[in-house]
């Protein structure tokens, strides 16, 4: 397990675990991990390529600091699906969170009982995944 520093996490479907990446290099695989100060990233071009070709690749991941602690009862399920752009929690697009729990069963949970602690803001620069999907201009 990496030391507490900035890491990136994504689901490895072949190994059925979470891959941990530091500096662009996979440094390990874990069954579960908790991150604090999380940024969620998803490439819209990668998502569309996966839809077009039917081949899966890593185009969505979370980055943050490795943390400890059990998932609180009020955590909200975090989802990512190819058929809609961006990570979603409570039906809304999420780009950042205070903490995310990645569990052994492949599910992820975000801190925030009614999604009040989550950052639902869109990036301030250019078009985001939602705008691109809707065909909206800048």
């Amino acid at each position: 397990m990496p030391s507490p520093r900035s890491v990136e996490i994504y689901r490895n479907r072949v190994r059925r675990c979470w891959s941990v990446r530091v500096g662009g290099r996979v440094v390990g695989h874990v069954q579960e991990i908790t991150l604090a100060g999380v940024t969620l990233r998803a490439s819209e071009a990668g998502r569309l390529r996966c839809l077009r070709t039917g081949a899966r690749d890593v185009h969505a991941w979370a980055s943050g600091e490795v943390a400890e602690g059990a998932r609180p009862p009020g955590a909200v399920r975090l989802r990512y699906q190819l058929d809609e752009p961006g990570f979603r929690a409570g039906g809304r697009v999420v780009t950042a969170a205070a903490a995310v729990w990645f569990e052994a069963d492949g599910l992820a949970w975000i801190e925030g009982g009614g999604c009040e602690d989550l950052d639902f803001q869109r990036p301030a620069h250019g078009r985001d995944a939602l705008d691109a999907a809707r065909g909206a201009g800048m």
Side-chain angles (χ1 to χ4, degrees):
M1 175 90 124
S3 63
R5 57 183 167 171
S6 183
V7 299
E8 295 175 347
I9 303 294
Y10 63 90
R11 185 72 180 160
N12 187 318
R13 292 186 183 274
V14 173
R15 293 179 184 237
R16 296 181 188 261
C17 62
W18 300 98
S19 293
V20 180
R21 197 165 53 184
V22 176
R25 173 174 266 172
V26 174
V27 296
H29 298 89
V30 294
Q31 290 299 311
E32 53 189 37
I33 190 168
T34 302
L35 296 184
V38 180
T39 301
L40 301 165
R41 302 177 189 265
S43 166
E44 179 64 7
R47 185 184 79 83
L48 295 174
R49 183 177 53 252
C50 286
L51 286 172
R52 186 179 65 249
T53 65
R56 292 180 179 262
D57 67 4
V58 177
H59 63 271
W61 64 92
S63 59
E65 303 291 322
V66 176
E68 297 290 327
R71 174 172 48 104
V76 177
R77 172 99 182 269
L78 177 66
R79 297 173 184 267
Y80 180 80
Q81 298 175 332
L82 279 177
D83 58 340
E84 28 182 49
F87 286 90
R88 295 181 182 267
R92 299 176 67 189
V93 174
V94 182
T95 60
V100 180
W101 291 264
F102 299 92
E103 298 185 343
D105 59 5
L107 301 180
W109 300 84
I110 282 188
E111 184 175 43
C115 300
E116 66 275 357
D117 296 335
L118 304 180
D119 176 9
F120 290 114
Q121 301 299 313
R122 291 186 181 190
H125 61 284
R127 293 167 44 155
D128 68 2
L130 284 177
D131 291 334
R134 293 183 181 135
M138 291 176 117

